[in-house]
């Protein structure tokens, strides 16, 4: 996984922290980061701490359990720091990093990203702590809704 020169999105789940992950990406030469946390002010404060020339950092309040919030993160990253290379989910029990160059070219990139984010969330949050999935918020429903 190439970090130097990469644009990175870090989505922090409830009970998780993206601070160490963001600092590691900054030290490894990321070209820009978008940090999203469910708690207002947390991502914005971390972004202000890490923002520097050559690695702009944007912080937003967002919930990646919501497909519309993932779509907004993709849009915000594109507008402020460039196309996303790595999408990370940081939860209370770990982290998962998804490289967007792994996405098949023939699929809708946002639909596939939504599926990968759903998979990432399930990996870093123990089953008993995951929110109850509603049929409309499942990755397959998100794929269908976006087609």
């Amino acid at each position: 996984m190439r970090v130097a020169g990469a644009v990175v999105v870090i989505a922090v789940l409830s009970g998780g922290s993206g601070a160490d992950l963001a600092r590691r990406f900054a030290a490894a030469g990321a070209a820009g980061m978008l940090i999203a946390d469910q708690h207002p002010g947390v991502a914005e404060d971390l972004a202000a701490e890490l923002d520097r020339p050559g690695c702009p950092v944007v912080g937003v309040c967002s919930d990646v359990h919501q497909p519309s919030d993932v779509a907004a993160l993709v849009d915000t990253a594109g507008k402020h720091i460039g196309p996303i290379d790595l999408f990370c989910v940081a939860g209370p029990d770990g982290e998962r990093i998804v490289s967007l160059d792994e996405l098949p070219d023939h699929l809708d990139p946002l639909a596939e990203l939504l599926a990968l984010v759903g998979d990432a969330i399930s990996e870093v949050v123990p089953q008993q702590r995951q929110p109850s999935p509603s049929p409309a918020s499942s990755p397959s429903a998100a794929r269908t809704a976006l087609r």
Side-chain angles (χ1 to χ4, degrees):
M1 170 181 51
R2 182 185 61 83
V3 174
V7 171
V8 181
V9 172
I10 300 171
V12 182
L13 302 176
S14 184
S17 172
D20 289 338
L21 189 58
R23 287 184 183 101
R24 290 195 317 259
F25 280 122
M33 290 186 283
L34 179 103
I35 303 167
D37 195 293
Q38 295 175 323
H39 300 93
V42 174
E44 295 88 336
D45 290 347
L46 182 58
E49 173 193 329
L50 297 176
D51 187 55
R52 67 183 197 295
C55 183
V57 183
V58 177
V60 297
C61 183
S62 182
D63 179 1
V64 294
H65 292 97
Q66 305 301 320
S68 60
D69 281 14
V70 175
L73 290 177
V74 171
D75 186 53
T76 300
K79 287 179 181 173
H80 296 282
I81 56 177
I84 300 167
D85 297 302
L86 302 172
F87 197 106
C88 312
V89 177
D93 297 305
E95 55 198 39
R96 167 90 193 277
I97 302 169
V98 175
S99 177
L100 268 62
D101 65 5
E102 296 171 3
L103 296 180
D105 290 336
H106 65 282
L107 296 176
D108 178 342
L110 182 57
E112 189 64 17
L113 177 60
L114 289 171
L116 291 171
V117 169
D119 291 345
I121 290 171
S122 68
E123 285 184 20
V124 299
V125 179
Q127 189 66 34
Q128 68 273 14
R129 292 180 56 194
Q130 290 183 19
S132 300
S134 67
S137 66
S138 72
S140 60
R143 264 195 208 104
T144 303
L146 291 170
R147 290 183 195 236

